[in-house]
Amino acid sequence: MPEKVLIYSRFPKAQMERFGERFELLNAAGKAPNEVFSAEQLADIRALITAGGTPLRGDAMDMLPKLGAIICYGTGYDGVDLAAAAKRKIAVGHSPGANAASVADIAVTLMLAATRRLLAADDYVRGGSWAAAKPSPMMRPQAGMLGRKIGVYGMGEIGRKIAARVAAFETEVGYFSRRQHDVPYRYFPSLDALAEWCSVLMIAVRAGADTHHVVDANILRKLGKDGYVVNISRGSVIDQPALIAALTDQTIAGAGLDVYAKEPHAPDVLTALPNVVLSPHIGGHTLESHVAMQNCALANLDAFFAGNPLPYKVPLG
């Protein structure tokens, strides 16, 4: 008999196909498990799969009395109450670095689209203004990448790949992270110092209590009127109202965002601003990334059910 696995978050069916070939899946589809399944059905569930950003607290864990493993599909695990998991001796696994290349790609895409005003340029062509030779202030020359100072906040797998990609554009690259790394980029001792120096701030830090709203009005002011912010980590890292104010009053020049404070809802005021480029949290949404994330999740599940330590375990302290 195949082992039973609860699908805790809501996932597209295609992303769960490989798991369905190996395990008996009980799909809660983002609802509280006890709203979908009986206590008897949940009684012998030993492992679940969740999206890292989906809130998963102790009360939900208690619905599964035999739960021993929480497997996050993806790199993030900020939605999981790690203290509650540790208290219940539940292992937590994730997919570190599995989608790093794809997320770095979307970060660079957003940077170029924002700094070169690509959406406005696309509209200029599609709307007939180019053919009609209509003047547009949005089509004025903008600073290119050559010599531009790019600040990377966070130097993990994703941050390193972003830095390598933007360095290829003949930029200057600096970074700030919790500790200094052996990388060929200038290290700054604080986020404030990095924001003061750079003209594009790339946010690639892990979400958590210590990074909640750390990019606030003060950091945005330091970035300046010619500065851009690109966020591909989690919406919680930026104080979203402060960002909206900075974009509206042109405290900064623009932004590229793949993540938001409340998903899947980007505030209407953001969608109305011409100096921001928006994407629907698709940073890790490539075929290659999904295969890699599934490989990590399957390896974690196989190890758990075999009685072995998770190969991709989140430290619980």
Side-chain angles (χ1 to χ4, degrees):
M1 291 288 290
E3 297 281 0
K4 293 180 180 180
V5 174
L6 177 74
I7 308 302
Y8 185 76
S9 302
R10 186 174 183 176
F11 291 101
K13 289 183 179 179
Q15 292 178 18
M16 295 294 109
E17 283 182 2
R18 291 178 66 195
F19 299 98
E21 293 169 359
R22 303 266 289 278
F23 306 104
E24 180 183 342
L25 302 182
L26 282 74
N27 192 355
K31 297 180 180 179
N34 60 358
E35 293 179 8
V36 183
F37 302 105
S38 68
E40 184 179 1
Q41 289 174 301
L42 298 175
D44 57 352
I45 296 293
R46 298 172 56 211
L48 66 78
I49 299 172
T50 183
T54 301
L56 179 52
R57 310 303 180 210
D59 56 346
M61 299 175 197
D62 289 339
M63 296 177 195
L64 309 164
K66 291 187 179 179
L67 185 65
I70 295 170
I71 307 303
C72 297
Y73 185 101
T75 300
Y77 47 82
D78 48 295
V80 180
D81 186 334
L82 298 182
K87 181 180 178 181
R88 292 160 177 78
K89 297 182 179 180
I90 299 170
V92 180
H94 67 140
S95 308
N99 61 9
S102 296
V103 176
D105 289 346
I106 205 72
V108 174
T109 301
L110 288 168
M111 177 189 71
L112 293 174
T115 59
R116 296 300 299 271
R117 297 182 174 177
L118 189 60
L119 298 187
D122 181 87
D123 184 64
Y124 188 67
V125 174
R126 291 177 188 272
S129 296
W130 188 39
K134 288 185 179 180
S136 169
M138 292 296 286
M139 292 296 99
R140 290 172 182 163
Q142 303 298 306
M145 286 296 110
L146 181 64
R148 189 185 281 272
K149 296 175 179 177
I150 310 295
V152 182
Y153 175 33
M155 195 48 65
E157 289 287 336
I158 294 172
R160 290 172 189 241
K161 290 184 182 296
I162 290 173
R165 282 158 171 73
V166 298
F169 288 100
E170 300 176 80
T171 64
E172 292 184 54
V173 181
Y175 75 98
F176 167 68
S177 67
R178 287 177 295 181
R179 60 183 179 84
Q180 192 167 353
H181 297 266
D182 183 18
V183 292
Y185 314 115
R186 180 178 173 182
Y187 175 72
F188 286 81
S190 68
L191 180 57
D192 292 67
L194 181 67
E196 192 108 49
W197 173 81
C198 70
S199 67
V200 178
L201 179 63
M202 310 284 268
I203 301 174
V205 71
R206 188 174 296 284
D210 58 334
T211 60
H212 184 77
H213 287 185
V214 68
V215 179
D216 57 12
N218 174 58
I219 295 297
L220 295 170
R221 278 193 299 271
K222 290 182 182 297
L223 193 55
K225 63 182 180 64
D226 296 322
Y228 293 82
V229 62
V230 174
N231 189 12
I232 46 75
S233 61
R234 285 284 194 261
S236 63
V237 178
I238 294 183
D239 180 341
Q240 192 164 275
L243 174 63
I244 290 170
L247 289 165
T248 302
D249 64 19
Q250 298 183 344
T251 296
I252 63 173
L257 306 173
D258 189 46
V259 291
Y260 310 90
K262 292 183 180 179
E263 298 182 1
H265 303 290
D268 290 342
V269 65
L270 272 180
T271 64
L273 292 172
N275 56 342
V276 59
V277 180
L278 310 171
S279 57
H281 203 150
I282 58 170
H285 194 47
T286 63
L287 295 174
E288 299 86 356
S289 287
H290 281 298
V291 170
M293 289 186 287
Q294 289 161 16
N295 288 345
C296 289
L298 286 167
N300 275 330
L301 286 168
D302 287 341
F304 170 72
F305 286 125
N308 299 320
L310 305 187
Y312 306 106
K313 187 175 182 178
V314 175
L316 298 184

